[in-house]
């Protein structure tokens, strides 16, 4: 089947930068004496010397592999230097590697849109930079080409005739008759070579890169020539690359889908997919997957490079293999507390440095049931809205585990009994925070809501030395448990406005709780204070001035509570008539009051929301009738009234259309509806 015609995406310049045995390089930077020696980094686990997570190229020459353990590596290469990953809270601490990766990202992002894919790999969209270079200083006119760029591996470039490889690369870059796509790739070669040299200069780390027209091809190319090299995939070489590429080497085809293609379709290389029409693949694997398979066989991928320098989520996990499996609830809780403590630190650091908040907490686990043959049943993952603060995250994570354990045990008809094991074991635990977004602009301080109530106290709280402003950071709509990120202690804690009102003013009815809740919400949304939020606003991120501020806040909370209870006491007498009272300020209790005035220059003002009593107008010469202004009447209020009352009010609002047959019965007039006998 002929190769598909290039799409507009073929004019992009995408690079995938992959750090060379990154963990080893980080350790060698800390211990320069390790440079040039066979070195491996081992995970925290004393069993057989620990598992290798990174192996230097010097050690690989002796046959050391990542699948080995420390003792095995020593047998293969006695001189190998084993460096253990730093340990914190009884588990590996990868923060040093993350920070080192951030150094690299900050350099690469100088030339184009950057997507951090993991600790040690980054995607770059260099299209704009390449177009600019092509317009201002095209490679075809350059007299000298950087030596590092001349080391590039260009797929399809014939170097088998014994000619100088670097000279062939120079000629390829200098071609005047090249099409626009290849000219852009030539610019990409120079840009990536320059960036790699800058990374080496500033961080002492080497990296390899793949340069192509999309992310898929760039990812494949970056691993073809390592370390400290770069590989280029021109469009004309795409078919040759994919024809012989094992199907399981393609991203997302290493699992069940790849196995199915091999077993069911006889596909062993990506090129084998070319024999199947798109309809056939769609019929077998669904429309979306079928189309995707048809495209990748032709090197087509429209996946964009996301402009993301920061991780999409934070996580902390640990495995407990074999006899180390956790078999009691207290043991699980202990390790959950350790994992949550690390997660909380990373969340606070992200908040402090990047002004971002996470919204969702998720627990993952792997488990087995020793007394059943089907012991591979998956432990259900559980999620909930994330509350900031180490203690809160620990509490929520443990609740999620208990819910998952009940469901998992339920698969087998068993029960959990306190802290005792019922034949189950946990072999892996992890907690993660996701849905991380920047703090919404305009988010303001709850302290402003209490203006006039110990404002001097709140002012002192906001001093430059001890900034501890309270803030309400709303979670996404649909959150069931918490509508706000919990505030730092000392605090007025609003896990949700309604629940707070219920706790602090327990004798309010539900409607009144909602009234106050909406008031608080409106105050917050209006944005009393337009200023940036300090990361110290969230609980767990500041641990100072607790005693004094707690006392002051308790005082302010009590004062607010007292005033609100005083207001609501005036409303309890006639609750249920609140909305209609806003329409009618007063009325004439005389039965003859059904006669209504149509003098439009008189208006009915709404009563105070905190009071439900009917006050008579004290204006001199007041008529025994209601006055109203049609323009000020909210028609939506009428929907709360009985049908006959609605008809009467409509007739008042349209007096010129009133006909005798539109008259309602006198016994159903609005004044009768509000007669003293109807009050409760």
């Amino acid at each position: 089947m002929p190769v598909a015609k290039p799409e507009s995406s073929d004019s992009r310049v995408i690079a995938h930068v992959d750090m060379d045995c990154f963990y080893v390089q980080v350790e060698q930077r800390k211990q320069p004496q390790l440079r040039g020696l066979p070195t491996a980094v081992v995970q925290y686990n004393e069993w057989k010397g620990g598992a290798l997570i990174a192996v230097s190229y010097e050690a690989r020459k002796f046959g050391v592999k990542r699948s080995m353990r420390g003792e095995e590596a020593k047998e293969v290469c006695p001189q190998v230097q084993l460096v253990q990953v730093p340990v914190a809270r009884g588990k590996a601490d990868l923060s040093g590697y993350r920070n080192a990766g951030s150094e690299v990202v900050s350099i690469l992002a100088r030339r184009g849109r950057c997507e951090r894919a993991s600790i040690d790999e980054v995607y770059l969209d260099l299209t704009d930079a390449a177009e600019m270079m092509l317009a201002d200083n095209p490679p075809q006119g350059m007299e000298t080409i950087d030596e590092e760029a001349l080391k590039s591996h260009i797929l399809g470039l014939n170097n088998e005739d014994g000619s100088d490889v670097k000279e062939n690369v120079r000629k390829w870059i200098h071609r005047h008759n090249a099409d626009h796509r290849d000219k852009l790739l030539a610019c990409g070669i120079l840009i990536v070579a320059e960036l790699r040299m800058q990374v080496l200069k500033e961080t002492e780390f080497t990296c390899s890169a793949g340069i192509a027209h999309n992310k898929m091809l760039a990812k494949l190319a970056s691993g073809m020539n390592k370390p400290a090299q770069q590989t280029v995939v021109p469009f004309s070489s795409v078919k040759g690359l994919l024809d012989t590429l094992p199907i399981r080497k393609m991203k997302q085809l290493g699992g069940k889908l790849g196995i199915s293609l091999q077993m069911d379709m006889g596909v062993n290389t990506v090129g084998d997919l070319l024999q199947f029409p798109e309809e056939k693949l769609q019929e077998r694997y669904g429309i979306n997957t079928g189309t995707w398979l048809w495209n990748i066989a032709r090197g087509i991928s429209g996946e964009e490079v996301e402009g993301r320098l920061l991780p999409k989520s934070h996580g902390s996990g640990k495995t407990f293999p074999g006899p180390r499996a956790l078999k009691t609830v207290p043991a699980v809780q202990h390790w959950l507390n350790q994992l949550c403590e690390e997660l909380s630190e990373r969340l606070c650091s992200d908040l402090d440095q990047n002004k971002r908040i996470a919204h969702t907490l998720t627990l993952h686990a792997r488990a087995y049931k020793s007394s059943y043959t089907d012991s591979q049943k998956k432990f259900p993952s559980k999620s909930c809205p994330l509350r900031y603060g180490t203690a809160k995250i620990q509490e929520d994570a443990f609740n999620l585990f208990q819910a998952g354990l009940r469901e998992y045990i339920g698969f087998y008809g068993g029960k959990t009994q306190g802290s005792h094991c019922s034949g189950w074991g946990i072999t892996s635990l992890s907690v993660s925070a996701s849905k991380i977004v920047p703090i919404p602009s305009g988010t303001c301080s709850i302290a402003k809501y209490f203006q006039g109530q110990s404002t001097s106290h709140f002012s002192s709280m906001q001093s430059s030395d001890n900034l501890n402003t309270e803030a309400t950071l709303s979670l996404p709509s649909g959150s069931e448990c918490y509508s706000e990120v919990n505030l730092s202690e000392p605090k007025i804690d609003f896990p949700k406005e309604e629940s707070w009102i219920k706790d602090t003013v327990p004798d309010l009815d539900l409607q009144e709780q909602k009234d106050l809740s909406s008031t608080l919400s409106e105050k917050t949304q209006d944005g009393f204070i337009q200023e940036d939020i300090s990361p110290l606003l969230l609980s767990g991120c500041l641990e100072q001035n607790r005693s004094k501020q707690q006392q002051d806040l308790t005082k302010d909370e009590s004062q607010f509570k007292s005033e609100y209870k005083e207001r609501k006491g005036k409303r309890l007498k006639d609750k249920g008539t609140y909305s209609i009272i806003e329409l009618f300020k007063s009325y004439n209790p005389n039965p003859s009051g059904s006669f209504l005035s149509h003098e439009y220059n008189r208006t009915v003002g709404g009563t105070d929301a905190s009071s439900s009593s009917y006050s008579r107008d004290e204006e001199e010469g007041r008529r025994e009738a209601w006055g109203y202004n049609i323009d000020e009447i909210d028609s939506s209020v009428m929907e709360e009234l009985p049908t006959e009352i609605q008809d009467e009010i409509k007739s008042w609002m349209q007096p010129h259309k009133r006909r005798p047959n539109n008259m309602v019965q006198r016994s159903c007039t609005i004044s009768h509806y509000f007669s003293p006998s109807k009050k409760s």
Side-chain angles (χ1 to χ4, degrees), residues 481-496:
C481 302
Y482 318 103
S483 61
E484 301 174 25
V485 174
N486 289 276
L487 310 176
S488 56
E489 294 183 358
K491 62 181 179 298
I492 301 175
D493 194 357
F494 292 103
K496 189 172 183 180

Side-chain angles (χ1 to χ4, degrees), residues 657-675:
K657 296 183 180 180
R658 186 174 179 181
R659 298 186 179 89
N661 59 356
N662 284 341
M663 294 291 291
V664 296
Q665 296 180 1
R666 181 171 297 276
S667 61
C668 295
T669 63
I670 189 70
S671 58
H672 175 76
Y673 182 70
F674 288 105
S675 64

Side-chain angles (χ1 to χ4, degrees), residues 648-659:
E648 183 176 6
I649 293 179
K650 289 177 181 178
S651 68
W652 305 342
M653 299 177 67
Q654 296 177 326
H656 58 285
K657 296 183 180 180
R658 186 174 179 181
R659 298 186 179 89

Side-chain angles (χ1 to χ4, degrees), residues 347-348 351 356-358 388-389 439 468-473 484-489 533-543:
L347 288 172
C348 288
L351 176 67
R356 302 194 307 165
I357 54 174
Y388 272 69
I439 294 176
N468 189 25
T469 311
E470 304 293 304
T472 56
L473 301 176
E484 301 174 25
V485 174
N486 289 276
L487 310 176
S488 56
E489 294 183 358
I533 298 180
S534 168
L536 304 180
L537 303 181
L538 299 180
S539 64
C541 299
L542 183 65
E543 299 292 342

Side-chain angles (χ1 to χ4, degrees), residues 15 100 129 209 279 316 361 363 371 467 484 511 527 534 552 632 652 671:
E279 295 75 13
S316 178
L361 175 69
L363 177 134
S371 57
L467 180 59
E484 301 174 25
Q511 181 59 45
S534 168
D552 293 340
E632 295 182 1
W652 305 342
S671 58

Side-chain angles (χ1 to χ4, degrees), residues 380-679:
S381 298
K382 296 292 181 180
S383 299
C384 71
L386 188 145
R387 300 187 296 163
Y388 272 69
T390 301
K392 293 182 176 69
I393 295 176
Q394 291 172 336
E395 176 187 354
D396 291 343
F398 183 60
N399 289 338
L400 293 177
F401 171 77
Q402 289 181 309
L405 182 61
R406 286 192 296 268
E407 185 175 330
Y408 179 74
I409 296 299
F411 288 144
Y412 303 96
K415 295 182 179 180
T416 56
Q417 298 180 351
S419 62
H420 300 289
C421 176
S422 181
W424 52 266
I426 300 297
T427 59
S428 175
L429 270 180
S430 68
V431 288
S432 63
S434 58
K435 295 185 179 178
I436 305 178
V437 298
I439 294 176
S441 60
T443 308
C444 62
S445 170
I446 190 66
K448 191 69 175 179
Y449 181 76
F450 298 100
Q451 276 189 330
Q453 305 181 36
S454 300
T455 54
S456 61
H457 158 67
F458 288 108
S459 177
S460 65
M461 287 176 60
Q462 296 174 349
S463 66
S464 59
D465 294 332
N466 298 302
L467 180 59
N468 189 25
T469 311
E470 304 293 304
T472 56
L473 301 176
S474 298
L475 292 177
S477 60
S479 297
E480 297 179 359
C481 302
Y482 318 103
S483 61
E484 301 174 25
V485 174
N486 289 276
L487 310 176
S488 56
E489 294 183 358
K491 62 181 179 298
I492 301 175
D493 194 357
F494 292 103
K496 189 172 183 180
E497 291 97 334
E498 292 181 15
S499 61
W500 174 79
I501 297 168
K502 184 176 181 180
D503 292 337
T504 55
V505 194
D507 55 345
L508 294 185
D509 67 359
L510 179 60
Q511 181 59 45
E512 292 170 314
Q513 293 173 16
K514 290 183 177 179
D515 292 342
L516 180 55
S517 173
S518 62
T519 301
L520 289 174
S521 177
E522 291 170 1
K523 296 286 186 182
T524 302
Q525 293 173 0
D526 288 343
F528 291 104
I529 299 178
Q530 299 298 326
E531 58 185 11
D532 292 337
I533 298 180
S534 168
L536 304 180
L537 303 181
L538 299 180
S539 64
C541 299
L542 183 65
E543 299 292 342
Q544 54 184 339
N545 300 334
R546 286 189 175 186
S547 300
K548 178 180 181 303
Q549 294 176 5
Q550 181 66 53
Q551 294 173 1
D552 293 340
L553 278 171
T554 302
K555 177 181 177 182
D556 288 323
E557 181 180 341
S558 301
Q559 182 176 355
F560 172 76
K561 218 182 347 180
S562 175
E563 291 188 6
Y564 185 81
K565 291 177 69 174
E566 180 179 350
R567 290 171 58 198
K568 67 92 184 176
K570 298 178 182 180
R571 291 164 45 184
L572 293 179
K573 180 178 179 181
D574 297 294
K575 68 181 179 182
T577 61
Y578 167 70
S579 59
I580 189 62
I581 299 308
E582 288 189 327
L583 180 61
F584 301 102
K585 181 176 181 181
S586 58
Y587 76 104
N588 180 9
N590 192 310
S592 63
S594 59
F595 171 78
L596 302 176
S597 170
H598 298 298
E599 296 178 348
Y600 300 154
N601 59 334
R602 298 178 58 83
T603 62
V604 175
T607 62
D608 187 348
S610 63
S611 173
S612 60
S613 61
Y614 306 142
S615 59
R616 294 181 178 275
D617 192 344
E618 297 179 358
E619 176 187 355
E620 255 184 66
R622 177 179 180 274
R623 301 183 184 183
E624 292 185 352
W626 283 312
Y628 63 94
N629 186 328
I630 292 179
D631 295 334
E632 295 182 1
I633 295 179
D634 185 357
S635 59
S636 64
V637 176
M638 293 192 299
E639 297 177 0
E640 304 177 23
L641 303 175
T643 304
E644 61 270 25
I645 303 301
Q646 293 186 37
D647 294 338
E648 183 176 6
I649 293 179
K650 289 177 181 178
S651 68
W652 305 342
M653 299 177 67
Q654 296 177 326
H656 58 285
K657 296 183 180 180
R658 186 174 179 181
R659 298 186 179 89
N661 59 356
N662 284 341
M663 294 291 291
V664 296
Q665 296 180 1
R666 181 171 297 276
S667 61
C668 295
T669 63
I670 189 70
S671 58
H672 175 76
Y673 182 70
F674 288 105
S675 64
S677 62
K678 294 289 184 181
K679 292 184 180 181

